[in-house]
Amino acid sequence: DPYRDALLGLEGYSHAFVLYWFDRNDTPEKRRTLRVHPRGNPDNPLTGVFACRAPARPNLIGLTLCRVLAMADGTIQVDKIDALDGTPIVDIKPYIPSIDEATKDIRLPDWLKR
């Protein structure tokens, strides 16, 4: 409720980045995890957590690009967020193609191309 006014105008966007806090994924062991097999697949190469989207990380900030489906009474309904219900939201930023669109020269590691 204290941030209701900060949502003014967000309904004009089709998508928004949602930054959230992995509050239910916090253990000292997970914060020390620096390398994982992406997607939990041992066939994928050992990779640094900053080079994949593993939930175990030294920081607990998550980021998802979501479709804004509806807004009403200070609530935003989004599609396909990879956070659990009740996860604390850190920030919301509108998706603006001229700022956020990736370059055409995209490079991906081989394990993502399979």
Side-chain angles (χ1 to χ4, degrees), residues 13-33:
Y13 294 90
S14 64
H15 291 76
F17 289 106
V18 178
L19 290 97
Y20 53 91
W21 191 254
F22 279 115
D23 64 322
R24 286 170 265 178
N25 197 46
D26 190 11
T27 66
E29 180 182 331
K30 286 183 179 180
R31 284 200 184 210
R32 286 191 301 271
T33 301

Side-chain angles (χ1 to χ4, degrees), residues 62-105:
L63 169 70
T64 303
L65 179 61
C66 301
R67 179 180 299 279
V68 177
L69 300 175
M71 292 184 58
D73 300 323
T75 300
I76 307 167
Q77 183 181 359
V78 297
D79 189 18
K80 297 186 179 178
I81 189 166
D82 61 351
L84 299 173
D85 189 33
T87 296
I89 303 300
V90 176
D91 201 356
I92 300 166
K93 298 183 183 300
Y95 175 81
I96 302 171
S98 62
I99 297 171
D100 299 313
E101 193 170 297
T103 180
K104 293 178 184 175
D105 300 322

